[in-house]
Amino acid sequence: EVQLVESGGGLVQPGRSLKLSCVASGFTFSNYGMNWIRQAPGKGLEWVAYISSGSSYIYYAETVKGRFTISRDNAKNTLYLQMTSLRSEDTALYYCARHEAITTTANWFAYWGQGTLVTVSS
Amino acid sequence: DVVMTQTPVSLSVSLGGQVSISCRSSQSLVHNNGNTYLSWYLQKPGQSPQLLIYKVSNRFSGISDRFSGSGSGTDFTLKISRVEPDDLGVYYCGQGTQYPNTFGAGTKLELK
């Protein structure tokens, strides 16, 4: 069974940093690209970032480019999201989701974690 | 960025009824490999989104045939027949043809 478990969320002050993790199990992690998707409270879904299976291809939403860094450790079956210069508008539930398409430049999300909540507030 | 426009914003349905949700994209979702990466998700209250349909009309594993997707280019539709209580929640369309991937704002399905 595919499982994705996020952690690392919490309350953080504006301008500070936070690192999220997503531990994967039930599939060969190193064979799949991965994504971070977020959902602000009461709002819709916003794709945040993608990383290919071997970390060769990385894409970001413009809203986080230059502030967030997606990475992965295939030996640990773990996906990361390093978030810096956090803003109130980054407050959201952050999901990791597996990339399903064979093509790096195409995407849909069959498996999602339960999410980890990031709250940016003073 | 590709803008995804869903209509209606909300829907009221009787159990056993049928509904359709529309999703329009601001650009064609045909990838340069010829596939169209339009997917549909259901988010039930307090849960993570779940995939229903991918590549316009392919039902994900375990998804009832009461759910069907159709469309092409920029116009897409999700149809739900014989609505059951477990179908209630917010439905999102999403495009994965180009980055940034984008989602519609959602359609809330409620009981009449």
Side-chain angles (χ1 to χ4, degrees), chain A residues 39 47 95 104-107 109 113, chain B residues 31 41 43 48 96-97 99 101:
Chain A
Q39 186 171 35
W47 172 84
Y95 298 101
T104 298
T105 55
N107 218 351
F109 313 104
Chain B
H31 192 274
Y41 305 86
Q43 188 171 32
S48 303
T97 293
Y99 290 103
N101 295 160

Side-chain angles (χ1 to χ4, degrees), chain A residues 35 37 39 43-47 50 59-61 95 99 101 103-115, chain B residues 1 31-33 37 39 41 43 47-51 54-55 60 92 95-105:
Chain A
N35 300 267
I37 298 166
Q39 186 171 35
K43 302 297 184 182
L45 302 169
E46 180 188 15
W47 172 84
Y50 161 80
Y59 304 102
Y60 295 101
Y95 298 101
H99 180 98
T103 308
T104 298
T105 55
N107 218 351
W108 70 88
F109 313 104
Y111 298 97
W112 301 62
Q114 85 289 347
Chain B
D1 297 2
H31 192 274
N32 57 23
N33 67 10
Y37 295 96
S39 48
Y41 305 86
Q43 188 171 32
Q47 295 186 18
S48 303
Q50 62 180 96
L51 176 67
Y54 64 97
K55 288 201 292 183
F60 183 52
Y92 296 96
Q95 69 82 16
T97 293
Q98 61 176 267
Y99 290 103
N101 295 160
T102 49
F103 296 91

Side-chain angles (χ1 to χ4, degrees), chain B residues 54-71:
Chain B
Y54 64 97
K55 288 201 292 183
V56 181
S57 59
N58 295 272
R59 274 186 299 275
F60 183 52
S61 175
I63 300 302
S64 169
D65 60 5
R66 297 184 299 103
F67 293 88
S68 63
S70 62

